[in-house]
C-alpha cells in the first residue's frame, strides 16, 4: 500500500479549508485517511498552517510521498528539513543536538520572515486607511465650503436686488425731475409770448 501526504478539502464553496492527511493513494480525495497531520487555511494572509511536525516527519520516514502542494506546506513548516537532518543523524554526519540546533535556527529565521510580512501587511493596511481618511476629510471640507458659498450666494443676490431697486428708484426720480423741468420751461416760454 502506498501512502500519500495530501490535502483533504473542507469548508464551504469559495472558502476552502484543508486538512493535511496521510492517506492511502487509492482512496478518494475526501475519503478515508490514516492520520490527520494538520490543517491549512489559504483564506488568511499569510496562509495559516498548523502542522504536527513529528507526525509528518514520521510519515516521511516511513516512505509517504507528499503531493506538490503538501510538499510546499511541509517545506514551509520545516518538516522536510527535519527529515533531511534526521537522515544525517542516522548516517552519523552530525549529532542530534546539532540537528536540533540547525532546525531551531531555521524555524526562528522563518518565523521572523513571516512576522515581517504580517507587519508589512498591517502597516500597508493602516497607511491605506489613513490615506482614505485624509481624502475623505478633504472632500468633506470642499463640500462644506461649497455649502457655505451657496448659503452666502442668496444673501448676495438679495443685496444686489436691493441695490438695483435703489438704482431704479433713483433713476425714475431723476427722469421725473428731468421731465418736469422742461415742461416748466415750456410753460414759462408760452407765458412770455
Amino acid at each position: 500500500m502506498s501512502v500519500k501526504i495530501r490535502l483533504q478539502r473542507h469548508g464551504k464553496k469559495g472558502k476552502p479549508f484543508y486538512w493535511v492527511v496521510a492517506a492511502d493513494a487509492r482512496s478518494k480525495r475526501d475519503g478515508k485517511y490514516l492520520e490527520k497531520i494538520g490543517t491549512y487555511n489559504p483564506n488568511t494572509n499569510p496562509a495559516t498552517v498548523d502542522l504536527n511536525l513529528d507526525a509528518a516527519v514520521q510519515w516521511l520516514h516511513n516512505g509517504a510521498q507528499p503531493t506538490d502542494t503538501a510538499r510546499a506546506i511541509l517545506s514551509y513548516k520545516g518538516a522536510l528539513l527535519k527529515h533531511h537532518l534526521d537522515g544525517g543523524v542516522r548516517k552519523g554526519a552530525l549529532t542530534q543536538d546539532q540537528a536540533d540546533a540547525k532546525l531551531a535556527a531555521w524555524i526562528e529565521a522563518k518565523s521572523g520572515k513571516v512576522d515581517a510580512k504580517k507587519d508589512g501587511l498591517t502597516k500597508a493596511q493602516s497607511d491605506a486607511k489613513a490615506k482614505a481618511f485624509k481624502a475623505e476629510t478633504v472632500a468633506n471640507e470642499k463640500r462644506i465650503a461649497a455649502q457655505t458659498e451657496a448659503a452666502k450666494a442668496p444673501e448676495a443676490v438679495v443685496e444686489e436686488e436691493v441695490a438695483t431697486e435703489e438704482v431704479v428708484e433713483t433713476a425714475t426720480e431723476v427722469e421725473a425731475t428731468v421731465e418736469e423741468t422742461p415742461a416748466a420751461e415750456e410753460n414759462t416760454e408760452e407765458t412770455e409770448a
Side-chain angles (χ1 to χ4, degrees):
M1 168 173 90
S2 64
V3 176
K4 290 259 188 202
I5 297 175
R6 63 182 181 199
L7 300 179
Q8 193 176 63
R9 192 183 196 284
H10 294 273
K12 63 182 184 177
K13 180 174 157 183
K15 299 282 186 181
F17 183 83
Y18 298 98
W19 288 359
V20 181
V21 297
D24 186 358
R26 297 171 293 184
S27 66
K28 295 179 182 177
R29 179 193 72 177
D30 298 335
K32 285 197 239 178
Y33 59 91
L34 301 171
E35 183 181 2
K36 179 180 173 185
I37 299 171
T39 59
Y40 167 60
N41 184 4
N43 297 318
T44 61
N45 190 8
T48 306
V49 178
D50 181 30
L51 187 70
N52 183 347
L53 194 63
D54 294 329
V57 171
Q58 185 60 42
W59 279 106
L60 290 171
H61 287 330
N62 291 340
Q65 294 297 314
T67 60
D68 293 337
T69 307
R71 183 181 305 278
I73 290 171
L74 294 175
S75 175
Y76 179 79
K77 293 307 274 187
L80 293 179
L81 178 64
K82 185 170 182 178
H83 175 62
H84 175 73
L85 292 173
D86 286 349
V89 169
R90 278 195 306 266
K91 292 178 183 176
L94 62 150
T95 64
Q96 186 64 42
D97 294 335
Q98 291 172 334
D100 291 341
K102 283 186 176 186
L103 181 64
W106 183 87
I107 288 174
E108 183 67 29
K110 184 69 170 183
S111 66
K113 288 180 184 178
V114 171
D115 291 340
K117 182 176 181 181
K118 286 180 183 177
D119 292 341
L121 289 172
T122 56
K123 185 177 184 302
Q125 189 177 25
S126 64
D127 289 346
K129 190 179 275 189
K131 186 177 179 181
F133 180 73
K134 187 175 181 180
E136 185 177 341
T137 55
V138 169
N140 284 341
E141 289 172 359
K142 286 181 181 178
R143 182 179 45 81
I144 290 170
Q147 287 176 349
T148 55
E149 287 182 19
K152 288 181 181 178
E155 294 173 4
V157 169
V158 169
E159 291 175 2
E160 289 176 10
E161 288 176 1
V162 169
T164 54
E165 288 176 5
E166 291 175 359
V167 169
V168 169
E169 288 176 2
T170 56
T172 55
E173 289 174 3
V174 169
E175 288 176 2
T177 56
V178 169
E179 288 177 3
E180 290 176 6
T181 307
E185 289 176 1
E186 288 175 7
N187 288 339
T188 55
E189 288 177 5
E190 289 177 4
T191 53
E192 289 177 5

